[in-house]
Amino acid sequence: MMMKLETIDYRAADAAERFVESLRSTGFGVLRNHPISQQLVQDIYRDWQEFFNSEEKQAFMFKPETQDGFFPASISETAKGHTVKDIKEYFHVYPWGRIPEQLQDNILTYYQEANALAAELLDWVEAHSPAEVAANYRTALSQMIANSHKTLLRVLHYPPMTGDETPGAIRAAAHEDINLLTVLPAANEPGLQVQSLDGEWLDVPSDFGNLIINIGDMLQEASAGYFPSTTHRVINPEGADMSKSRISLPLFLHPRPDVVLSERYTADSYLMERLRELGVI
């Protein structure tokens, strides 16, 4: 059976039910008519593209102990199970972290708006979890992220392709996210794909204005596997699109470190285990 990613109208009466069903069956939910300003996202894409094109980024080099700031392509992530680095550079935004002054207002407004919407979506997930699944949640899902200093907004820049890339390297190799949910405005270029249960790669609807939400490993852990953490990737562009940059703005919703996910893990112990596997710490 061909898995189809439908786009759900956030304002529809049955939006919550359909969104959670989409998460359950595909690991992804795609929303339209949501409350996050399209103009705000557009302004962020434009302004951060300028930042990544400038040398100013070198002044914000990341700190290993805090993980905020600019991560150059030379130290980009290698996805779990892969040996080749992804073709990307990025900036980690935390409200408590370093942010270029001229970029602060818009990015922190977005951070707050996306967090507020994410809390609502986690309430949807909990409300539409079967009773036996909801019984696994040690804390209300939306409360897990309340006042969390760990929730990360990553501004990703996939540079134009040069033709000299390492063989086998793609913009983001197949991976799962570590966190509870990831909230992502449709990027300014297509390329995001999700893997269906039968191994087929499907394009995620990338119409500008869509909001794409996917399940991370921590929600899979907290729901005892009921909500599957989905394998996804960002493929390289072809033809004329090779000359285009791609900016992406995922918000990774992380619980507070002390939140108990399951009998096996707190949020902190889970995160540390995964960061060690990724070679980040």
Side-chain angles (χ1 to χ4, degrees):
M1 187 182 80
M2 174 76 171
M3 181 178 75
K4 186 173 185 303
L5 286 170
E6 67 163 334
T7 304
I8 296 157
D9 188 336
Y10 168 85
R11 298 181 298 203
D14 61 348
E17 191 175 351
R18 287 173 58 207
F19 172 76
V20 177
E21 175 51 37
S22 180
L23 282 185
R24 164 75 171 143
S25 59
T26 71
F28 270 76
V30 183
L31 294 176
R32 66 179 188 276
N33 294 327
H34 53 81
I36 291 177
S37 159
Q38 208 166 320
Q39 187 61 54
L40 177 63
V41 172
Q42 214 161 352
D43 291 347
I44 288 170
Y45 285 167
R46 181 198 64 219
D47 295 344
W48 281 84
Q49 181 69 63
E50 284 181 18
F51 173 78
F52 284 116
N53 288 347
S54 76
E55 284 306 303
E56 185 188 359
K57 62 190 180 187
Q58 306 299 339
F60 289 88
M61 197 62 68
F62 77 100
K63 295 178 179 175
E65 61 276 15
T66 55
Q67 294 284 304
D68 64 319
F70 171 64
F71 291 72
S74 58
I75 61 98
S76 182
E77 294 170 313
T78 303
K80 184 178 175 181
H82 295 261
T83 56
V84 180
K85 286 186 186 302
D86 290 344
I87 307 167
K88 64 189 183 190
E89 58 184 358
Y90 48 92
F91 196 103
H92 279 183
V93 173
Y94 296 99
W96 49 260
R98 295 164 303 143
I99 306 169
E101 192 174 353
Q102 75 278 16
L103 299 173
Q104 277 186 10
D105 287 353
N106 276 352
I107 205 73
L108 291 178
T109 297
Y110 177 81
Y111 186 98
Q112 289 160 356
E113 288 186 7
N115 259 286
L117 178 59
E120 181 183 12
L121 298 180
L122 284 169
D123 284 339
W124 286 8
V125 169
E126 185 152 0
H128 292 279
S129 296
E132 65 274 16
V133 174
N136 292 301
Y137 305 145
R138 313 299 176 96
T139 307
L141 293 179
S142 61
Q143 284 305 304
M144 289 184 180
I145 63 167
N147 303 313
S148 174
H149 297 299
K150 291 289 188 180
T151 288
L152 163 64
L153 179 57
R154 174 182 283 175
V155 189
L156 274 160
H157 176 229
Y158 301 101
M161 310 296 288
T162 63
D164 296 328
E165 287 76 25
T166 305
I170 67 170
R171 284 181 158 178
H175 65 285
E176 298 81 40
D177 291 344
I178 301 170
N179 42 290
L180 282 172
L181 283 181
T182 302
V183 176
L184 177 74
N188 57 355
E189 296 294 332
L192 181 63
Q193 294 186 325
V194 55
Q195 191 170 36
S196 69
L197 297 176
D198 59 8
E200 185 181 3
W201 285 104
L202 302 174
D203 292 324
V204 175
S206 63
D207 304 358
F208 192 69
N210 282 353
L211 201 63
I212 300 159
I213 296 94
N214 67 272
I215 297 169
D217 294 344
M218 288 185 179
L219 183 54
Q220 178 174 273
E221 184 69 28
S223 66
Y226 180 80
F227 288 106
S229 182
T230 322
T231 303
H232 54 287
R233 67 183 182 183
V234 180
I235 58 170
N236 295 340
E238 296 178 346
D241 287 340
M242 288 179 67
S243 63
K244 294 179 180 176
S245 286
R246 186 176 188 272
I247 295 278
S248 179
L249 202 58
L251 181 74
F252 300 107
L253 292 152
H254 278 274
R256 296 180 306 283
D258 61 319
V259 165
V260 177
L261 294 175
S262 67
E263 289 181 4
R264 301 187 298 173
Y265 291 106
T266 63
D268 183 62
S269 69
Y270 196 96
L271 178 61
M272 291 304 116
E273 179 178 294
R274 289 298 309 276
L275 291 180
R276 279 192 292 272
E277 288 172 353
L278 287 169
V280 176
I281 58 170

